[in-house]
Amino acid sequence: MLNRLVRIWWAAVCSVAVLRVTAADIVPMPAHVEKTGTELVFSSFRIKASKTLSGEAALLEEALSGQGYAVGKGAKITLALDEALSPEAYDLQISDGGIKIAGGDAAGVFYGTRSLLQLLDASPKKGVLEGLHIQDQPRYAWRGYMLDESRHFFGEEKVKQLLDVMAYYKLNKFHWHLTDEPAWRIEIKRYPLLTTVGGTGSWSDPNLPAAYYTQEQIRDIVAYAAARHIEVIPEIDMPGHATAANRAYPELTGGGTPDHPDFTFNPGKEEVYAFLTNVLREVSALFPSSYLHLGGDEVSFGIKAWETDPDVQALLKREGLDDVKGAERYFMIRMADSVKMLGKRLLGWDELLDVGVEPEHTVIMWWRHDRPGQLKKSVSKDYRTVLCPRRPLYFDFIQRQGDKWGRVWNGFNPLEDVYRYPDTDLDKWNLSETEEDRILGLQANLWTERVQNEDRMDYMTFPRLCALAEAAWTPREVKDFDSFNRRMEHGYRLFDRLGIRYFRPDRKEPTGPVRKDKEDPMDFRD
Ligand code: ACM
């Protein structure tokens, strides 16, 4: 419904203002931009905002000071809420009398300030702004990025930089993959071995000392993100991808395969449910997000061991379950109950659709692009659904034919495919209006088996993150890939200033500083 309303609203806006509609040097491109023919000289500035918007005002002041503008008698910037606007929407007016930013909520005001910062950064005459009236709101409510820190650990400073750039491009969900096979990265006070033992090693070096986030660091990062209107959603993967936890507490294991030893938690052991519920209790208290992500993916990698495990076999008998798939379902439904008991909503990968968890309490992340049937099942069974298909939204995959940086997996994920998502697929899927309304938005995922340091993390992320931001924010009718590429010139300058190493479609080699890769060739295929 919302998508349809946005389209109707957009058509109405175009019909009254078509002659003056223009573009602005902003990524993601706003829904509607009108030139007003005036000009504002911006040398010093003063911000007027109510108490409720003091956080947004402080971050704007900090960013403007960072761009070299001083607080003074110059341009007056007014920040205000406007109940007539929807959540996250904003209205930005620049005239010779000053700047007014109104938002449907504090997030909308914040996004208006990000647009202003980008306009100042892109202005051909430093300190002069063209008169504009921007009316803007996102296409999708979910605009997310996932970082896997189990395979490789990047740390607080790098994560904060990522959050800064996400906020600059109006992304609003940070999905944090904190546990998996190589390591467990979040401190749980009740089970210290999870980090002191489970936190050691990485995908590329099993001998590294323990690296993880303390609860204090987690609280700090969550608050940092919240100030930038980013919700942080933790993922504690289960019952598969549990190897690091099982290394710390071997009594929990349900076994695995020679390639994936101790891959699962044991669904037949009662103490596993108590353990995981205690873990989720601590996690849930650390993250204000209404979601807990329990993974639920690829259990088939390790489920074979359940066929001969005495505890699982006893469970099947006791509960009258047909087979080990039944044990997986039983496990997931019990853990979904724990999530509900903690007052949270369940988030999980699309395998959860085969488990029968309740649609009203669950959000599905559709990742298996080669199984469009799973997406259809999700939206037709009333699950709110986030699109994060491997093609084109897994950012660990290489970005062009022959590129030697990143993972080679049955094709590649170029910038343009990210940008154009999901429009061509939407045309193909032929979803009903109700089904399409179940799509909450888009998310890209950075798995880090082949991303072993910051250089690689940056190179795989930027500028695809910006293409994702525009795909998730900008109305379909306004998207224009050539224009995006032109506007990204300002983004590249930002990356240069931040010391970020990035991909450019017009260059063969990565751009930006070389840090850890000097003796560490990035050619790292599977
Ligand atoms: C996944 O890529 N295993 C969700």
Side-chain angles (χ1 to χ4, degrees):
M1 191 64 187
L2 190 63
N3 287 336
R4 295 290 191 287
L5 284 177
V6 168
R7 262 180 240 151
I8 293 164
W9 165 81
W10 171 243
V13 165
C14 287
S15 67
V16 294
V18 73
L19 290 176
R20 312 182 77 184
V21 167
T22 182
D25 266 330
I26 297 172
V27 174
M29 176 58 85
H32 180 245
V33 181
E34 209 178 316
K35 286 188 189 202
T36 54
T38 56
E39 211 173 69
L40 173 70
V41 176
F42 193 100
S43 49
S44 63
F45 68 93
R46 62 213 143 100
I47 301 174
K48 184 170 171 278
S50 63
K51 248 207 163 87
T52 49
L53 295 171
S54 58
E56 289 67 31
L59 284 175
L60 177 61
E61 184 175 323
E62 184 186 308
L64 288 171
S65 306
Q67 285 192 17
Y69 300 104
V71 177
K73 283 202 176 342
K76 181 173 164 194
I77 307 172
T78 310
L79 307 183
L81 295 174
D82 180 350
E83 281 176 9
L85 297 172
S86 3
E88 298 198 303
Y90 70 91
D91 184 295
L92 165 63
Q93 294 188 56
I94 300 172
S95 69
D96 47 10
I99 296 168
K100 286 188 187 150
I101 298 174
D105 54 10
V109 172
F110 180 74
Y111 296 140
T113 65
R114 297 308 97 175
S115 289
L116 171 62
L117 290 169
Q118 291 198 22
L119 288 169
L120 276 165
D121 192 43
S123 174
K125 285 191 272 176
K126 168 105 181 146
V128 178
L129 283 173
E130 185 178 27
L132 288 178
H133 182 195
I134 295 178
Q135 293 163 285
D136 200 9
Q137 65 178 48
R139 177 178 179 182
Y140 289 116
W142 191 292
R143 305 178 301 280
Y145 196 51
M146 188 214 80
L147 178 66
D148 163 15
E149 289 212 77
S150 172
R151 270 60 178 237
H152 288 102
F153 185 79
F154 301 96
E156 193 171 1
E157 201 182 318
K158 192 64 190 168
V159 165
K160 283 184 173 169
Q161 185 189 58
L162 176 66
L163 291 167
D164 279 336
V165 183
M166 283 176 65
Y168 194 67
Y169 292 108
K170 305 186 177 84
L171 292 166
N172 66 351
K173 309 280 181 198
F174 177 56
H175 168 180
W176 215 356
H177 187 81
L178 288 162
T179 71
D180 212 301
E181 289 182 82
W184 180 286
R185 305 295 191 190
I186 172 171
E187 179 189 29
I188 302 296
K189 303 260 190 210
R190 188 163 177 155
Y191 304 113
L193 302 185
L194 279 173
T195 39
T196 54
V197 173
T200 58
S202 73
W203 194 86
S204 53
D205 183 354
N207 298 318
L208 289 179
Y212 58 90
Y213 293 100
T214 63
Q215 294 204 350
E216 199 181 333
Q217 285 173 318
I218 298 257
R219 272 192 213 94
D220 180 50
I221 290 171
V222 165
Y224 189 88
R228 289 153 183 79
H229 296 279
I230 296 174
E231 179 178 342
V232 185
I233 298 143
E235 180 183 354
I236 306 295
D237 208 343
M238 61 183 79
H241 293 275
T243 321
N246 288 332
R247 194 164 75 233
Y249 295 96
E251 61 274 24
L252 303 174
T253 188
T257 61
D259 281 349
H260 300 279
D262 291 319
F263 185 74
T264 60
F265 289 118
N266 192 319
K269 287 188 169 173
E270 205 46 41
E271 61 264 38
V272 165
Y273 298 96
F275 176 92
L276 288 173
T277 302
N278 287 335
V279 166
L280 291 183
R281 194 172 282 115
E282 287 194 34
V283 172
S284 149
L286 286 170
F287 293 86
S289 167
S290 59
Y291 298 101
L292 279 176
H293 197 311
L294 298 195
D297 57 321
E298 298 178 321
V299 186
S300 56
F301 278 2
I303 205 171
K304 191 112 189 83
W306 294 3
E307 286 171 9
T308 51
D309 182 277
D311 291 297
V312 180
Q313 290 307 309
L315 171 77
L316 298 188
K317 220 176 192 164
R318 194 169 70 241
E319 297 295 329
L321 304 169
D322 290 339
D323 51 21
V324 289
K325 265 320 259 180
E328 180 184 344
R329 245 176 259 128
Y330 174 88
F331 172 92
M332 226 56 227
I333 286 170
R334 274 193 70 174
M335 291 315 302
D337 281 347
S338 289
V339 170
K340 207 162 154 189
M341 179 268 293
L342 291 165
K344 301 276 182 173
R345 280 181 287 177
L346 175 63
L347 194 56
W349 303 108
D350 65 61
E351 283 90 335
L352 284 197
L353 292 167
D354 306 324
V355 162
V357 284
E358 296 169 304
E360 59 275 32
H361 292 289
T362 309
V363 170
I364 295 293
M365 292 194 154
W366 177 65
W367 66 282
R368 291 181 290 182
H369 72 286
D370 46 351
R371 295 205 194 183
Q374 286 296 96
L375 171 66
K376 183 74 182 173
K377 188 169 172 180
S378 190
V379 293
S380 65
K381 293 201 160 189
D382 250 11
Y383 289 95
R384 279 155 303 149
T385 306
V386 175
L387 308 179
C388 54
R390 274 184 293 218
R391 304 288 306 280
L393 298 184
Y394 271 25
F395 283 6
D396 51 326
F397 293 2
I398 58 167
Q399 3 207 356
R400 71 181 142 208
Q401 187 94 52
D403 206 353
K404 55 184 186 178
W405 296 280
R407 186 175 180 189
V408 178
W409 188 90
N410 201 13
F412 53 102
N413 286 340
L415 186 65
E416 183 163 358
D417 288 8
V418 177
Y419 186 83
R420 297 201 186 284
Y421 206 74
D423 304 325
T424 37
D425 273 1
L426 274 181
D427 291 341
K428 251 185 353 220
W429 290 329
N430 214 359
L431 303 178
S432 72
E433 202 170 308
T434 317
E435 288 171 343
E436 202 176 320
D437 286 342
R438 293 274 169 263
I439 298 176
L440 286 182
L442 310 184
Q443 178 171 298
N445 297 331
L446 186 69
W447 301 102
T448 59
E449 286 92 337
R450 288 148 194 84
V451 182
Q452 67 195 67
N453 56 46
E454 291 182 19
D455 284 342
R456 294 184 194 194
M457 175 180 158
D458 288 347
Y459 183 74
M460 305 317 286
T461 302
F462 303 109
R464 284 191 291 195
L465 186 94
C466 310
L468 171 80
E470 190 147 315
W473 180 283
T474 303
R476 183 175 179 165
E477 300 79 356
V478 179
K479 281 167 76 177
D480 176 335
F481 186 57
D482 291 336
S483 149
F484 168 78
N485 276 316
R486 279 194 299 276
R487 281 175 283 126
M488 273 317 297
E489 287 299 328
H490 308 296
Y492 298 148
R493 287 213 312 266
L494 171 74
F495 301 156
D496 290 335
R497 287 199 298 275
L498 294 175
I500 281 177
R501 196 160 192 233
Y502 57 96
F503 170 92
R504 279 190 69 133
D506 55 349
R507 291 186 190 161
K508 277 213 156 58
E509 296 295 315
T511 303
V514 181
R515 288 173 300 235
K516 302 202 178 71
D517 271 328
K518 264 216 159 82
E519 289 95 41
D520 177 18
M522 285 173 90
D523 190 353
F524 197 34
R525 295 164 183 241
D526 57 354

